Amino acid sequence: LLRARLTLSQSARMATIIAACPTLRRPMRPPLLLQLSVFQLAAYMLKRKAFPAPGDWRREVLLTPDGGEVGLDWYRGDGGKGKGNGGSGAGKLMTAIAGLAPDAPILCVMHTLTGTADDFVELAGEATLQGFRTVACLRRGHLGTPLKTARFNLLGSVADLEVQLASIQRSYPMAPLFGYGESAGTGLGVRYCGETRDQCAFKALICVCPGYDTTEGGAFSRFEPLLDTF
């Protein structure tokens, strides 16, 4: 059986967290035909194509000091799809959304290189059921409209993220903020935490598929050989 390999600090705090997360120690049992990552990627792409999961998001457009635009997409549900079970879970999800208190923790999503809020519908649904309010922090160029200024950073800007987090805190001043970065979004999250240090708005930051090395010969040289031609 496959098992996750955990690389972590030896602090007492980390040991307590790991002890409270038994799923991290469970063996992984992927189907026989999905043992290799290339097949897992293919299955994921086919699933996204055959069963698209657009969510219901409320768009909030924010102006930056230089006249640029960034966005906040607030999650409002999965469009009644009920997480793929014929809609039977939609009522439970909407009840959870309606029951979120003003001080409910907020999951601030920093998307991938070419991502949008709809890439995180399943994550947002699961987070909602766990008591989180979810908002996707859209970078410049990801709002579906032309850029307002010539300033642009492919991996995101700390200054722009600070504009977004300040707006979130004005809307929900009593709510703790948690960061979730995926792929390119992890770079923005880590840089923000490093630059702001004690002034960081996040109680914790989750990094999935960290983009820690985007140089030539770095992360982009470690693709599956069968996928390199694409």
Side-chain angles (χ1 to χ4, degrees):
L1 295 176
L2 302 175
R3 291 183 181 274
R5 182 178 62 191
L6 302 180
T7 302
L8 42 88
S9 70
Q10 300 303 311
S11 68
R13 178 173 180 268
M14 184 59 68
T16 301
I17 293 174
I18 296 301
C21 300
T23 53
L24 293 176
R25 299 187 297 275
R26 291 177 186 170
M28 296 177 288
R29 298 183 176 88
L32 181 62
L33 296 179
L34 296 179
Q35 296 287 327
L36 299 178
S37 59
V38 62
F39 295 131
Q40 293 171 9
L41 288 171
Y44 173 75
M45 294 173 66
L46 287 173
K47 177 185 176 183
R48 291 292 300 273
K49 188 72 173 180
F51 305 102
D56 183 11
W57 305 86
R58 176 175 63 84
R59 171 69 53 85
E60 183 179 349
V61 178
L62 307 175
L63 293 179
T64 61
D66 67 337
E69 286 184 341
V70 293
L72 295 174
D73 273 2
W74 294 91
Y75 181 67
R76 299 192 298 189
D78 64 356
K81 292 184 178 297
K83 298 173 62 179
N85 55 5
S88 61
K92 182 178 180 180
L93 182 59
M94 297 311 296
T95 298
I97 293 175
L100 290 174
D103 61 349
I106 298 177
L107 186 65
C108 305
V109 176
M110 290 158 283
H111 55 76
T112 58
L113 197 65
T114 58
T116 66
D118 276 342
D119 294 331
F120 302 95
V121 170
E122 293 180 348
L123 170 69
E126 293 293 344
T128 299
L129 295 176
Q130 296 299 321
F132 284 82
R133 194 186 313 275
T134 301
V135 58
C137 300
L138 303 181
R139 301 194 294 269
R140 302 188 191 210
H142 292 258
L143 280 68
T145 57
L147 288 171
K148 297 293 185 180
T149 66
R151 182 182 179 187
F152 180 78
N153 188 319
L154 191 62
L155 298 180
S157 162
V158 169
D160 288 354
L161 180 60
E162 288 179 323
V163 170
Q164 293 169 314
L165 296 181
S167 177
I168 293 171
Q169 290 178 312
R170 285 193 297 270
S171 297
Y172 298 96
M174 302 301 295
L177 307 187
F178 293 84
Y180 174 92
E182 189 169 306
S183 192
T186 65
L188 176 59
V190 170
R191 182 170 181 176
Y192 165 75
C193 292
E195 290 189 4
T196 57
R197 298 176 68 85
D198 293 341
Q199 302 302 314
C200 177
F202 294 142
K203 296 295 185 182
L205 173 68
I206 303 167
C207 294
V208 177
C209 298
Y212 60 87
D213 183 1
T214 58
T215 61
E216 184 177 355
F220 293 106
S221 68
R222 294 192 291 274
F223 284 126
E224 289 282 349
L226 293 176
L227 301 179
D228 281 346
T229 56
F230 297 98

